[in-house]
Amino acid sequence: MFATYDDQNIFARILRGEIPNTTVMETDHTLAFRDINPLAPEHVLVIPKGAYISHDDFALNAGEAEIVDFIRVTGRICAELGVQPSTQGAGYRIISNAGTDGVQDVPHYHLHILAGRPLGRMLSAG
Ligand code: AMP
């Protein structure tokens, strides 16, 4: 489906500053911003600044500094939202859609952090 990275995808354009975003957190390697169509009271997208298509691409090909930074940012966002179960927060869900079966719309790797309401079961059957 996404054999090569498309540098015209909307998140690449956000990273280049061509499209505005509501930034939640930014580091050298990672950008987190509010989803334009939130599916929960808190819906944050976390993306690496590097050109990776999907989770497997990032996990196999990103450098260790990028990976550590990316994961740390997700933890810091959960802390800022106050949703960590470890501190009595109400919890959250992290999702990464990949490819056709995963129904990935934007071909730049991203995690969705969803929180702020009961999120139901992980998947519906079938
Ligand atoms: P996915 O289906 O996992 O690729 O999710 C793509 C997400 O990007 C969707 O939840 C969209 O609402 C979100 N999205 C698309 N365009 C923008 C944008 N310009 N700013 C913020 N979020 C966006």
Side-chain angles (χ1 to χ4, degrees):
M1 185 186 182
F2 309 123
T4 56
Y5 183 81
D6 170 14
D7 68 4
Q8 294 306 309
N9 78 74
I10 198 150
F11 294 170
R13 298 187 64 201
I14 284 175
L15 285 168
R16 289 196 296 269
E18 296 169 8
I19 294 175
N21 73 91
T22 304
T23 299
V24 173
M25 196 172 290
E26 181 168 13
T27 65
D28 286 349
H29 297 294
T30 308
L31 179 68
F33 53 97
R34 296 259 165 211
D35 196 292
I36 204 168
N37 181 27
L39 298 177
E42 307 287 1
H43 188 167
V44 176
L45 299 171
V46 187
I47 69 173
K49 291 186 174 178
Y52 303 101
I53 296 171
S54 55
H55 178 83
D56 56 286
D57 185 19
F58 182 71
L60 290 172
N61 298 315
E64 290 184 11
E66 293 173 283
I67 292 172
V68 169
D69 183 75
F70 185 81
I71 295 297
R72 288 267 191 256
V73 165
T74 64
R76 288 171 58 200
I77 290 169
C78 290
E80 283 201 2
L81 297 176
V83 297
Q84 324 98 292
S86 56
T87 58
Q88 311 303 316
Y92 57 90
R93 181 167 296 151
I94 290 179
I95 296 172
S96 186
N97 300 315
T100 305
D101 280 359
V103 194
Q104 179 181 6
D105 292 324
V106 179
H108 180 110
Y109 175 47
H110 52 283
L111 296 182
H112 298 254
I113 301 178
L114 298 148
R117 67 168 172 83
L119 294 163
R121 283 292 194 187
M122 184 168 65
L123 285 177
S124 56

